[in-house]
Amino acid sequence: MSWRDAMCGEPRAADVGRTLTLAGWVARRRDHGGLIFVDLRDHTGLVQLVLNPERAPDGAELAKEIRNEFVLRATGEVVARSPETVNPKLATGEVEVHVEELEIVSRSTPLPFQLDEENVDEMLRLRYRWLDLRTDRMQRNLRLSGSVVSAIRRRMEELGFIDFWTPSLTRATPEGARDFLVPVRLQPGSFFALPQSPQLFKQLFMVAGFDRYYQIATCFRDEDLRADRQFEFRQLDIEMAFAEREEVLAVLEEAVRASFEALGREPPPSPFPRLPWSEVMARFGSDKPDLRFGVEIQDATEVTRGSEFGVFANAPAVRFLVAPKAFSRAELARLEEVVKEWGAKGLAYIVVDESGEVRSPITKFLSDRELEAFKAEPGSTLLFGAGEPGAVARILGLLRVHLGDELGLIDEGRDEFLWVLDFPLFELDEETGGWTFSHHPFTGIAPGHEDLLESDAAAALSQAYDLVWNGWELGSGSIRIHRQVVQQRVFKALGLTEDEAKEKFGFLLDALQMGAPPHGGFALGLDRFIALLAGEPNIREVTAFPKVSSGADPLTGAPAPVPADQLAELGISVVEKKT
């Protein structure tokens, strides 16, 4: 017996007269007082079955029991529809199958929601995820995901990369988030950590002489969930020995282009644009700028030195945006409330109305030189930020994105990729007041900046790079440190003693003393990348079995308590959290 010899989306006019066996799920059943019509569905599409009691009396009787999402197997003749019943919205709309044999393979209980129902509560969707995954949306998304991963694998192997596997039980290393810990029954009080990335393992592959590594790696981070973040996620992980930065970037561009091609989309032109981090922050106020619209940040610090407007004169930095709209007072008041939520104290402005007339409460304090610098086209508004440079950049960067959305400035038909280069090596840890790493502690130092480690760490640049697509960070990478003495100096700058560095990273330091080649790599967040390719705002829509924002899994009920005897065997006791 064959369950089927054709898929539901395949029958066409050329098949008229053929007898086919189909199998799938019932999308809809309609009883027309004699004839019964059933829309049968699988992942390829939908076909109409016709059950006529004169042609198949047993099948027609059985069809009275059919409900949505029953699984059927049907054999019948492909027949052309009459011209007035052709359905141009269906690929199979010119034909129907007149059933001769019908079998109910599997029945369904009443459904918690219909597959074509809109605005279904997400918790309900995830609780019955097997049902949700049958919807056209989820079928499309997960199959798209599979196509992208297959295309990436093919391209990586064409480029000479080898697919390696790395352990999921490892040692905790500082990667910027909390670790998920795994207790060890044989060693009570000791724990494995689930990897936040295979960072050190892939570097060790380079030391071992495997000069082109890749992996579709599953990684784990215990951090708050959001639209683009899950506890567990996949990344395209690569590492290359004897490679310069441009060689690494070229490989990632190949992976991106292969993904577009696999989906029948025009791939973005290569090479992608490159900008240094300092310029990106100055122009866009974000290290992941959306380049599909303008409204760039402009600097007014120098021109406002000595200004009679005290807010400008006393601020370390003064910058502004020019919005292509003459805002009303009510609109400006709303914008001020928005920026205050981000930490701004207020929002100075100059409006140039459609006639070219200027209105603003601050112009009376500004010199002719300042007013000349702040000239703008009629029908626009200058919006100012004044304060510490980092805070001003952040707030104006957020305001820029807000304006892009509110004013419809973003060209949704464009794809803009960008490499952001030359990040600072360190950033200040607000909690400790000391230095912490911008990317990770194994990031290479920009040529000529090694001596800044001890003399001016704030000025030291790294060999790190990020890939950005339409305002979303897709991933990060860097040329790594391959000399043990330099790695020790970085650890020292981060506040680690020699003993602490040896305790945490002794195996890496040993490896770097035994013939480590220059190397670099990258990690591309696959789930985020696929969500963007699918046009989805949330990676849960491209993840088969995701967690919700609380960290819970509505499908399985995880996480869940475990029996006391199991905890005792692991040497663990649970401490009640005080409220």
Side-chain angles (χ1 to χ4, degrees):
M1 182 189 80
S2 173
W3 281 108
R4 59 189 177 189
D5 51 30
M7 306 299 287
C8 293
E10 291 179 345
R12 298 290 189 273
D15 297 309
V16 169
R18 289 183 62 195
T19 297
L20 298 178
T21 298
L22 305 167
W25 287 263
V26 174
R28 192 167 56 154
R29 169 188 171 277
R30 305 177 302 284
D31 190 335
H32 286 193
L35 294 180
I36 296 176
F37 296 88
V38 176
D39 292 338
L40 194 67
R41 182 197 74 243
D42 62 22
H43 74 272
T44 65
L46 182 148
V47 67
Q48 179 170 277
L49 307 182
V50 180
L51 290 118
N52 187 332
E54 295 181 3
R55 181 166 187 157
D58 292 343
E61 187 64 27
L62 186 61
K64 294 177 181 179
E65 303 176 22
I66 292 173
R67 297 294 180 269
N68 285 3
E69 298 310 304
F70 277 31
V71 178
L72 305 182
R73 176 174 175 267
T75 300
E77 181 185 357
V78 180
V79 176
R81 293 198 195 191
S82 59
E84 65 275 12
T85 62
V86 168
N87 185 347
K89 295 180 180 180
L90 286 181
T92 62
E94 293 184 287
V95 298
E96 57 195 18
V97 176
H98 287 200
V99 176
E100 295 161 1
E101 297 179 19
L102 179 69
E103 176 185 357
I104 296 178
V105 177
S106 178
R107 296 172 183 265
S108 172
T109 56
L111 302 175
F113 57 88
Q114 298 299 318
L115 269 62
D116 58 356
E117 187 177 341
E118 296 183 359
N119 301 317
V120 179
D121 179 74
E122 186 178 38
M123 290 293 285
L124 190 63
R125 289 177 58 207
L126 296 179
R127 167 65 182 85
Y128 297 94
R129 190 60 160 180
W130 63 85
L131 189 63
D132 187 54
L133 290 177
R134 292 183 200 166
T135 62
D136 290 343
R137 177 187 189 180
M138 294 307 301
Q139 285 281 321
R140 180 186 74 93
N141 287 351
L142 294 195
R143 291 177 188 280
L144 179 149
S145 175
S147 296
V148 169
V149 171
S150 294
I152 288 173
R153 287 188 183 279
R154 285 193 300 271
R155 187 58 53 89
M156 297 306 295
E157 287 165 15
E158 288 168 2
L159 294 171
F161 285 80
I162 302 173
D163 183 358
F164 285 100
W165 173 82
T166 53
S168 294
L169 295 175
T170 183
R171 181 170 182 154
T173 57
E175 297 271 359
R178 297 181 186 88
D179 290 302
F180 281 102
L181 301 178
V182 181
V184 182
R185 177 181 55 82
L186 299 175
Q187 299 180 45
S190 294
F191 296 82
F192 285 113
L194 299 180
Q196 295 188 37
S197 82
Q199 180 61 48
L200 297 183
F201 290 115
K202 66 180 180 179
Q203 289 190 240
L204 294 179
F205 275 130
M206 300 302 103
V207 181
F210 297 99
D211 61 349
R212 289 205 162 197
Y213 147 98
Y214 94 97
Q215 181 183 184
I216 305 297
T218 299
C219 306
F220 306 84
R221 295 190 179 187
D222 184 3
E223 52 190 359
D224 293 341
L225 305 190
R226 59 190 189 195
D228 64 342
R229 182 185 291 164
Q230 285 278 300
F231 285 152
E232 49 196 321
F233 56 94
R234 296 175 299 167
Q235 64 186 36
L236 167 61
D237 205 51
I238 75 165
E239 199 77 8
M240 303 167 63
F242 302 107
E244 296 292 332
R245 179 178 72 188
E246 285 300 316
E247 295 175 81
V248 180
L249 304 192
V251 168
L252 262 296
E253 292 183 15
E254 283 290 314
V256 168
R257 287 172 57 83
S259 302
F260 273 69
E261 290 166 356
L263 301 179
R265 292 173 57 173
E266 182 69 25
S270 191
F272 301 164
R274 285 121 162 92
L275 288 175
W277 175 87
S278 57
E279 182 179 343
V280 166
M281 293 302 295
R283 291 171 58 187
F284 306 105
S286 168
D287 58 8
K288 47 181 183 292
D290 191 337
L291 302 185
R292 293 174 296 171
F293 69 105
V295 191
E296 295 187 15
I297 298 171
Q298 302 179 53
D299 189 72
T301 306
E302 189 59 36
V303 76
T304 55
R305 298 306 81 183
S307 176
E308 292 186 18
F309 184 49
V311 173
F312 287 175
N314 301 321
V318 179
R319 295 172 184 165
F320 66 96
L321 297 169
V322 181
K325 180 180 179 180
F327 289 118
S328 67
R329 288 183 179 180
E331 289 170 324
L332 288 164
R334 285 196 294 271
L335 284 176
E336 185 171 34
E337 290 304 312
V338 169
V339 298
K340 282 182 176 179
E341 291 177 5
W342 298 330
K345 295 178 180 178
L347 183 66
Y349 63 86
I350 297 174
V351 177
V352 184
D353 67 20
E354 299 295 343
S355 67
E357 183 179 347
V358 174
R359 53 183 172 86
S360 168
I362 70 170
T363 51
K364 60 187 176 183
F365 301 109
L366 302 180
S367 66
D368 290 342
R369 178 168 173 256
E370 288 171 298
L371 290 172
E372 180 67 24
F374 299 148
K375 274 189 174 180
E377 294 292 322
S380 57
T381 303
L382 288 79
L383 302 167
F384 292 88
E388 292 299 324
V392 171
R394 180 181 62 82
I395 290 167
L396 289 182
L398 291 169
L399 180 57
R400 175 181 179 268
V401 174
H402 178 81
L403 293 173
D405 289 332
E406 289 291 308
L407 302 181
L409 304 178
I410 300 171
D411 183 351
E412 300 289 352
R414 288 169 58 187
D415 288 309
E416 293 290 344
F417 286 84
L418 173 70
W419 286 109
V420 180
L421 313 174
D422 304 329
F423 281 79
L425 184 64
F426 301 122
E427 56 189 45
L428 205 60
D429 187 323
E430 294 181 0
E431 292 185 6
T432 67
W435 294 114
T436 186
F437 44 85
S438 293
H439 275 68
H440 56 61
F442 321 110
T443 300
I445 305 166
H449 283 225
E450 288 183 8
D451 289 342
L452 295 175
L453 285 172
E454 291 82 16
S455 63
D456 190 4
L461 296 181
S462 72
Q463 295 193 68
Y465 33 82
D466 281 5
L467 180 57
V468 178
W469 179 20
N470 293 349
W472 291 85
E473 179 193 325
L474 293 181
S476 302
S478 68
I479 300 299
R480 321 299 187 190
I481 297 168
H482 72 278
R483 291 186 292 142
Q484 190 257 12
V485 64
V486 176
Q487 187 66 75
Q488 285 278 34
R489 289 172 65 188
V490 169
F491 286 153
K492 185 176 180 181
L494 290 169
L496 290 177
T497 66
E498 190 171 330
D499 287 343
E500 287 173 330
K502 188 172 183 179
E503 160 66 17
K504 293 182 178 181
F505 307 109
F507 65 95
L508 175 66
L509 295 172
D510 288 344
L512 294 181
Q513 295 183 90
M514 297 184 184
H519 57 282
F522 194 84
L524 176 81
L526 262 183
D527 305 307
R528 188 177 305 173
F529 179 48
I530 289 166
L532 290 169
L533 285 170
E536 291 289 359
N538 193 313
I539 65 171
R540 291 197 290 271
E541 302 301 344
V542 296
T543 304
F545 303 106
K547 312 296 186 291
V548 294
S549 57
S550 66
D553 177 4
L555 175 67
T556 65
V562 298
D565 58 344
Q566 191 173 355
L567 290 175
E569 188 178 32
L570 294 169
I572 293 175
S573 62
V574 176
V575 178
E576 293 291 334
K577 187 175 182 179
K578 294 181 179 179
T579 56

